[in-house]
Amino acid sequence: MNPPRYLAPPTIAEAVRHLAEEGEGAYPLAGGTDLVVRMRAGLVQPTALVDLQRIPELAVIAVQDGRVWLGATVTLAKVVASPELRRLTPVLAEAAAQMGAVQLRNLATVGGNLASAVPSADLAPPLLVLDATARITGPAGERALPLEQFFAGPHRSVLRPGEILTGLEIPASDGGTGAAFLKFGRRSAQVLAVVNAAARVRLHRGVLDEVRIALGAVAPTPIRARSAEILLRGAPPDRERLDEAARLAAQEARPISDMRATAGFRREIAQVLVRRALEQAIRRAELEGLRHAL
Ligand SMILES: Cc1cc2nc3c(=O)[nH]c(=O)nc-3n(C[C@H](O)[C@H](O)[C@H](O)COP(=O)(O)OP(=O)(O)OC[C@H]3O[C@@H](n4cnc5c(N)ncnc54)[C@H](O)[C@@H]3O)c2cc1C
């Protein structure tokens, strides 16, 4: 077996051209923390690796008109450390801080986490509740789609041959908004999630006028818990309703049993995590509301 050709283009256009020229066996390479492990295990055999790390535009975090732009090769460590992200999208930093260990966070990227399309990808739930849009560039030009439509199944995204995820656009949050991310793993660090969950709410005059709930590792792709969201939207966050929403969210899950947990256990954990994530998000929304009122 020949080692893969290594290409390190300086622009997105050249990366796309290389991927097209090298054909099916060419893979974009970001931090390599997932891809290299899969290559070593013989699960994938790339004929070419197109390194995205030399493309400056992909490594940018920017805020414009209140919208956050998060480039695909921004590392998890930068997500944790970025003052803009900590201020505007703290739930993302909260999730990234719980991923792997410091060595992994220095290499692993946002785009790699999403493009690997594993059901347990920890950045998916927070980005789903933040209503992120995925920006994609390929041989046919650029396109954008809601992140929810990006995942197609375990290890499958909707990226077409030759396409690169270039980054994510996240709308600004209004006052009175709070979000939280929780992860349950078999140890407290360095593990993939048995279940992960994020919730984001906006409280207006004691009523939840915006609610988003997302779960990972409980279905072939990360999911939104729509029926739970609908139950809560427009309602005050009382205890019974939160309990019922968590129950509905767990029902929406379609977990499998694997070496990390049984399907039944995952469903129970999903219910607990959604309940706690909602509580935390509501507390943070209340605090945010108070801060705005001062
Ligand atoms: C010890 C260890 C601990 C880990 N802990 C966690 C954890 O806690 N939570 C978690 O979610 N994951 C975890 N992971 C999995 C992995 O590290 C992360 O998913 C990471 O974010 C992947 O990013 P990367 O930049 O290394 O991707 P890479 O390995 O470079 O790429 C992953 C896949 O995505 C493709 N790709 C990468 N970037 C792009 C792009 N911009 N456009 C199109 N395709 C692209 C590659 O071709 C490849 O198929 C862990 C892995 C290890 C080895």
Side-chain angles (χ1 to χ4, degrees), residues 27-35 37 52 72 98-100 104 107-109 111-113 115-116 120-122 159 163-165 183 190-192:
Y27 280 63
L29 172 72
T33 63
D34 182 68
L35 185 55
V37 172
L52 306 179
Q98 294 180 52
M99 292 169 72
L104 181 105
L107 283 174
T109 66
N113 189 242
S116 63
S120 62
D122 281 325
L159 286 176
E163 281 188 331
I164 293 171
L165 174 66
K183 170 175 177 174
Q190 284 267 52
V191 281
L192 298 184

Side-chain angles (χ1 to χ4, degrees), residues 33-258:
T33 63
D34 182 68
L35 185 55
V36 174
V37 172
R38 284 169 64 74
M39 283 167 64
R40 287 205 180 123
L43 296 169
V44 291
Q45 277 141 6
T47 52
L49 295 173
V50 178
D51 194 341
L52 306 179
Q53 306 263 31
R54 307 270 173 90
I55 306 173
E57 291 156 82
L58 294 183
V60 167
I61 298 172
V63 181
Q64 203 176 16
D65 304 327
R67 292 177 78 78
V68 177
W69 166 255
L70 185 56
T73 63
V74 170
T75 61
L76 305 179
K78 291 227 169 86
V79 171
V80 176
S82 157
E84 290 105 322
L85 296 183
R86 293 183 83 92
R87 184 167 56 85
L88 294 167
T89 59
V91 68
L92 256 190
E94 187 171 27
Q98 294 180 52
M99 292 169 72
V102 72
Q103 297 93 328
L104 181 105
R105 293 196 289 273
N106 281 336
L107 283 174
T109 66
V110 172
N113 189 242
L114 300 174
S116 63
V118 294
S120 62
D122 281 325
L123 291 184
L127 284 165
L128 286 173
V129 300
L130 286 167
D131 207 17
T133 296
R135 291 236 157 235
I136 295 165
T137 302
E142 290 180 35
R143 63 188 178 115
L145 77 169
L147 184 62
E148 203 175 347
Q149 293 168 22
F150 181 79
F151 304 104
H155 291 290
R156 279 193 304 120
S157 73
V158 298
L159 286 176
R160 299 174 190 139
E163 281 188 331
I164 293 171
L165 174 66
T166 55
L168 296 136
E169 247 174 44
I170 304 166
S173 72
D174 305 326
T177 306
F181 169 83
L182 291 170
K183 170 175 177 174
F184 181 88
R186 295 190 62 178
R187 292 193 312 258
S188 57
Q190 284 267 52
V191 281
L192 298 184
V194 167
V195 179
N196 54 23
R200 182 169 178 270
V201 303
R202 191 174 62 195
L203 261 181
H204 184 63
R205 298 184 184 186
V207 163
L208 295 166
D209 70 349
E210 211 181 282
V211 185
R212 291 203 194 86
I213 301 166
L215 283 159
V218 294
T221 66
I223 57 165
R224 287 269 296 275
R226 297 271 181 194
S227 55
E229 293 177 359
I230 291 166
L231 177 84
L232 293 175
R233 210 167 285 138
D238 56 59
R239 178 194 283 245
E240 291 72 29
R241 217 181 294 263
L242 293 182
D243 286 343
E244 177 61 6
R247 208 180 52 76
L248 280 179
Q251 263 177 19
E252 287 182 81
R254 285 176 290 140
I256 54 161
S257 297
D258 65 8

